Amino acid sequence: VKSSTPDESGFTPERGKTYEVTIHSLSHGGSGVGRLEGFVFFVPYSAPGDVLEVEVTAFKKNYVQARIVRIIKASEQRQTPHCPVFGQCGGCQWQHVIYEEQLRQKELMVQHALSRIGREENIEIKPIKGSPSEFYYRNRAQFRTQGSKVGFYKRNSHELIDFEKCYIVESAINEELVKIKSEVARHDPSTQNKIEVFLSETSVHRSMNQAHSEETGFSQVNSKQNERMVDYVMGLVGKSDLKQPQYLLDLFCGNGNFSLPALMGQHFNVYGIDASRPAIAVAREQAQNKPHGLTAQFVAGDCSFEVKKLARAGRKFSTILLDPPRVGCDSRLWKNLVALEAETIIYISCDPSTFSRDWARLKGVSEDRYKIEFVQPFDMFPQTFHVELVAKITRSPEKS
Ligand SMILES: C[S@@+](CC[C@H](N)C(=O)[O-])C[C@H]1O[C@@H](n2cnc3c(N)ncnc32)[C@H](O)[C@@H]1O
């Protein structure tokens, strides 16, 4: 969302004062966005179409933060949040917005990032693929306990919000929460713990005071939507030929979420790189029963550094997948990545802003040799502002 400079009327909103604002969109971070006399207002828990009386809570140079004092006219995009602690817990930001509108706003967020940061106005953004479940989709949760209370910490605080169930975790996790509640019922008030509950295909697990991801590396939180996204990416990757298999490089491969299906089902020779040793160990283990004649190599290391080594060794790959964390890729990656001469690059991103910045870098380094065919957003995280996307990038045959 573009911040704008104050207009010439000299109007300046003041902290503590109230104003009438109409909300027109939702932003990264979750707040609704409105505009008054050239000032951008960010209003948490508002919906596009709301007419609100808001109080300014913080004043920045070009925008203000404000809270809802009164809903003058409620948007048609509003719904009653399911969760009784919505607004206090901070885990989700959009339960008060109907799901279709959440999806529409996520598409707009992708479009805005591409135009504002990537300077791209004409890229095809396909209609977002909604999650199979709007609620009860997360396969893990990290609960906090304090005495007999169990819940999540309020956003940016250590205040524990106690609840009976969480509306975005899978029901097996809520069943586990009931057990945890009965176990801590007699704990003295000073006892504090962090309990991560996570689901594998067959059972429910717990990890006390240690994040599960530290032991096994990253894994996707919305299992059903992840299956769809992997299938979609495999469709883009296409089939290789067992007699003359092509080479696929999977950067930020984690435990092989994409490279294993590319190896097993699509018959590529795969080369995966990830910084997490436990994740690489899982990928190696899973690749052991690969089809005869294919190679699978998984390297624990930094992507930029490892890609530099591949480029220096003159290695070539027909397809490159990239699925970096929210911060995106290191700026030093692109020059070496271009030297690998991939015909197709598939960038999977959980942050449209860093994706757009990275795209601008790739475009620059490759001297416009690559172009985005299209971007397919996915909703992995209903009820929150987070949006995932898959971009298909191809190389033109000849340098123009
Ligand atoms: C969004 S996850 C994607 C994992 C995997 N592709 C998947 O779908 O499950 C990002 C991954 O990047 C890895 N990572 C973060 N920084 C890295 C770096 N500089 N070099 C290599 N891997 C890195 C993390 O360990 C994590 O597994």
Side-chain angles (χ1 to χ4, degrees), residues 321-383:
L321 300 186
L322 293 140
D323 182 15
R326 248 172 251 301
V327 290
C329 301
D330 181 338
S331 59
R332 290 167 299 185
L333 172 74
W334 301 107
K335 201 168 127 256
N336 294 312
L337 186 129
V338 166
L340 308 180
E341 293 181 357
E343 281 140 42
T344 309
I345 297 176
I346 296 167
Y347 191 134
I348 299 122
S349 162
C350 56
D351 186 334
S353 311
T354 53
F355 164 70
S356 303
R357 177 205 63 197
D358 285 351
W359 163 242
R361 286 177 180 164
L362 168 60
K363 212 161 73 147
V365 165
S366 71
E367 294 170 350
D368 292 328
R369 189 99 196 261
Y370 282 98
K371 80 165 203 283
I372 298 183
E373 295 282 329
F374 53 79
V375 171
Q376 172 65 68
F378 275 81
D379 189 18
M380 282 288 198
F381 315 100
Q383 320 307 329

Side-chain angles (χ1 to χ4, degrees), residues 218-220 252-255 257-258 274-276 301-303 323-325:
F218 174 91
S219 64
Q220 303 278 353
F252 309 92
C253 67
N255 57 20
N257 188 36
F258 297 106
D274 197 281
S276 160
D302 170 68
C303 280
D323 182 15

Side-chain angles (χ1 to χ4, degrees), residues 96-245:
H96 63 296
V97 179
I98 60 172
Y99 191 52
E100 287 68 25
E101 181 63 14
Q102 292 184 23
L103 293 177
R104 197 176 79 85
Q105 291 296 328
K106 289 186 189 193
E107 280 176 14
L108 288 173
M109 282 162 73
V110 172
Q111 197 183 326
H112 285 162
L114 272 168
S115 95
R116 188 168 54 86
I117 304 164
R119 306 251 169 263
E120 295 283 4
E121 302 295 340
N122 297 317
I123 285 177
E124 182 191 356
I125 299 169
K126 294 193 184 278
I128 187 167
K129 291 189 188 286
S131 170
S133 317
E134 291 170 34
F135 290 96
Y136 308 116
Y137 62 85
R138 279 188 70 98
N139 58 23
R140 62 172 180 265
Q142 203 179 73
F143 298 114
R144 303 284 179 159
T145 76
Q146 195 171 10
S148 61
K149 292 204 287 183
V150 188
F152 295 139
Y153 279 158
K154 192 173 175 173
R155 208 172 182 188
N156 303 326
S157 88
H158 281 177
E159 185 188 333
L160 195 131
I161 304 293
D162 198 1
F163 48 76
E164 294 307 310
K165 70 166 183 175
C166 169
Y167 285 75
I168 64 167
V169 302
E170 286 193 39
S171 41
I173 296 180
N174 279 323
E175 283 159 24
E176 196 67 12
L177 176 63
V178 174
K179 287 187 202 156
I180 297 172
K181 280 194 172 266
S182 69
E183 286 168 25
V184 303
R186 282 194 205 86
H187 277 186
D188 79 78
S190 63
T191 312
Q192 290 190 358
N193 276 309
K194 191 161 77 177
I195 306 176
E196 184 163 349
V197 180
F198 54 96
L199 305 177
S200 64
E201 267 171 40
T202 48
S203 46
V204 185
H205 308 265
R206 276 194 211 176
S207 161
M208 278 282 265
N209 297 323
Q210 190 189 15
H212 162 55
S213 60
E214 285 167 25
E215 293 160 36
T216 58
F218 174 91
S219 64
Q220 303 278 353
V221 299
N222 183 338
S223 309
K224 281 194 227 152
Q225 185 70 327
N226 179 51
E227 269 176 41
R228 292 187 175 189
M229 185 169 76
V230 170
D231 283 352
Y232 183 81
V233 170
M234 290 308 115
L236 299 182
V237 160
K239 278 254 183 193
S240 183
D241 187 347
L242 265 179
K243 289 195 198 106
Q244 246 187 333

Side-chain angles (χ1 to χ4, degrees), residues 73-110:
K73 185 173 163 287
S75 161
E76 286 180 359
Q77 310 303 334
R78 271 187 179 268
Q79 64 179 7
T80 309
H82 287 26
C83 177
V85 296
F86 175 70
Q88 294 171 53
C89 149
C92 346
Q93 305 79 38
W94 287 2
Q95 276 198 32
H96 63 296
V97 179
I98 60 172
Y99 191 52
E100 287 68 25
E101 181 63 14
Q102 292 184 23
L103 293 177
R104 197 176 79 85
Q105 291 296 328
K106 289 186 189 193
E107 280 176 14
L108 288 173
M109 282 162 73
V110 172

Side-chain angles (χ1 to χ4, degrees), residues 26-50:
L26 296 174
S27 63
H28 183 85
S31 295
V33 187
R35 225 172 258 275
L36 194 63
E37 313 261 355
F39 276 89
V40 176
F41 279 61
F42 287 99
V43 187
Y45 306 113
S46 62
D50 275 349

